[in-house]
Amino acid sequence: MKAIVLPPDASGSPDHMVSRPRRTARLYTLLGGNGSGKSLFMNEIARLNSEDAYLVSAVAGGMPGRITGSLPQLMTVLSLDEEKARFRVLKEIWEQTFPGNNIDIVKGKAKIRNRSGKDSIGIRSLSRGEKAALYYIAATILAPEQALILVDSPTLFLHPTAVGVLWDRIERARADCRFVYDTYDANFSAGQTRRTAIWIKDYNAADHSWRYQVISDGELPDEVFLQMMGSRRPILFTEGDASHSIDMRLYSVVFPEFTVKPLGSCDKVIESTRTMQSLRTMHRIESYGLVDRDRRSDQEVEYLRAKHILVPEVAEIENIFLAPGVVETMAEIRNRNPKKVLKAVRQEVIHKFEQMLESQALQHTRHRMKRDVERKIDARFTCITALELHIKSLIKKLKPRETYDQLLAEFRRMARAGDYEGVLRVFNHKPMFTGSCVAKALGFSSIDDYVAGVISALKRGDEQAERLRLEIRRLFS
């Protein structure tokens, strides 16, 4: 596959130009704030790669350069007999993206039938978002072989739940092509780790040059993220990072209406959410945090939720993939018996929990003692002697053994009663998930493949994907 020629990168002094880079990645996303020169940058890419450039814009129905044409023109071409093979590709992508809405050629014109199948409508009667999606599919399907497809505003008019699904399918259908996207949407880049982001920092009109940075690891710098906030989409701060953790990959498709920003630790998530909330009169952007439940008590969880911090009804993110609704829905998708698969997974998880009752109770006790010590030691003392006496008295006030015994009794009750959802709520032990039978029971080769399978299923856009999404979101209600 041919490399993409990018414009020169101006760095250092204004008269210093880095040699023009050639990049071999297949998927690029241009990011930058208003006035940073993204559109000009894309036009320059088109000029430098003019032999292969194919520009796509749902707004203009074609941009200067190799014009793709309007939606009616594209559909007219695809309705020709000699284009039946390409129309079948369009039909497959359309019907997967919009389940229940079939598209066919009737008397030389494209017609769409809804779920009832009784009435058909022409493309002029589609919603603005549907027209945009159909245009993107048609334009890219008709692109020449080995084209460099430059897409202006790939998320425009599209519902957040459809964006990732649509472009994933288009990219797979045109695996021979390279794509460059011009967007203001940080989620579009950060949520798709296969894409390489190009951060356009600024443009110098005097010498027609840009300062930019190629970001290949999926982790967007804070400056880029702040520029992207101009989209006004609400922000969801999460734990983990964009490159290696599950958080970004999962939550960007479970909560597509948010711009998801991973911050690493739970403390940073809580503090950032608190800061954004306190400054809301300045930026007017809705912001939330999302942290694992870990070993927090019900009172701690309710406190965080009141502060715009989402906390799931499971101990950690890995347990989401073991939740009953998730396992059963994935069993249906994989053509397995949902009740049989869930029974096997439930028995194994509860058995492992029984083997670790004492250590789990001890870890929960330690968490509560740490929290209570921090709370009780934060007091005013007149001298060091008073502080010493206060610390010595803490053992009687904290009652660690009493707390441990209560937790151990509660955990034993859960195990005896087969309270699977209760166990998932308190069981913090990552090796339990990685060594569980859930992947094998669902026909996956490894736990990583199972995680990837859930995320892929969430992107499908069909009824099962929506049910899977709702099952996960239910854990946060």
Side-chain angles (χ1 to χ4, degrees), residues 458-474:
L458 284 163
K459 294 179 179 181
R460 291 179 5 164
D462 57 14
E463 185 177 330
Q464 288 176 319
E466 188 57 28
R467 192 177 348 139
L468 185 59
R469 184 177 291 106
L470 290 175
E471 289 292 345
I472 297 175
R473 292 178 74 123
R474 185 177 65 84

Side-chain angles (χ1 to χ4, degrees), residues 281-348:
T281 55
M282 297 174 61
H283 54 67
R284 301 187 183 279
I285 296 174
E286 285 284 351
S287 56
Y288 295 83
L290 192 159
V291 298
D292 286 348
R293 186 183 185 95
D294 289 325
R295 301 176 182 88
R296 295 183 172 91
S297 65
D298 291 342
Q299 293 77 16
E300 289 177 279
V301 169
E302 289 307 310
Y303 172 80
L304 289 174
R305 288 173 176 170
K307 300 296 183 182
H308 280 219
I309 308 292
L310 304 181
V311 185
E313 285 298 307
V314 293
E316 52 196 0
I317 189 171
E318 288 81 2
N319 291 14
I320 288 176
F321 295 88
L322 298 169
V326 175
V327 173
E328 289 186 320
T329 304
M330 285 301 297
E332 290 181 16
I333 292 172
R334 302 283 290 181
N335 296 315
R336 299 294 200 276
N337 185 313
K339 295 187 182 302
K340 185 177 179 180
V341 171
L342 180 59
K343 181 180 179 181
V345 174
R346 179 194 287 118
Q347 287 178 340
E348 184 192 46

Side-chain angles (χ1 to χ4, degrees), residues 126 252 271 277 283 303 352 369:
L126 294 174
S252 62
E271 182 58 35
Q277 286 294 320
H283 54 67
Y303 172 80
K352 289 186 176 181
M369 294 303 102

Side-chain angles (χ1 to χ4, degrees), residues 66 141 158 192 231 294 344 380 446:
R66 188 173 299 184
I141 291 300
L158 297 176
Q192 303 291 328
S231 67
D294 289 325
R380 295 179 182 275
S446 68

Side-chain angles (χ1 to χ4, degrees), residues 196-214:
T196 297
I198 300 179
W199 173 24
I200 313 298
K201 299 179 181 180
D202 56 51
Y203 170 66
N204 187 330
D207 57 12
H208 190 56
S209 65
W210 295 262
R211 286 195 312 116
Y212 64 90
Q213 177 182 343
V214 178

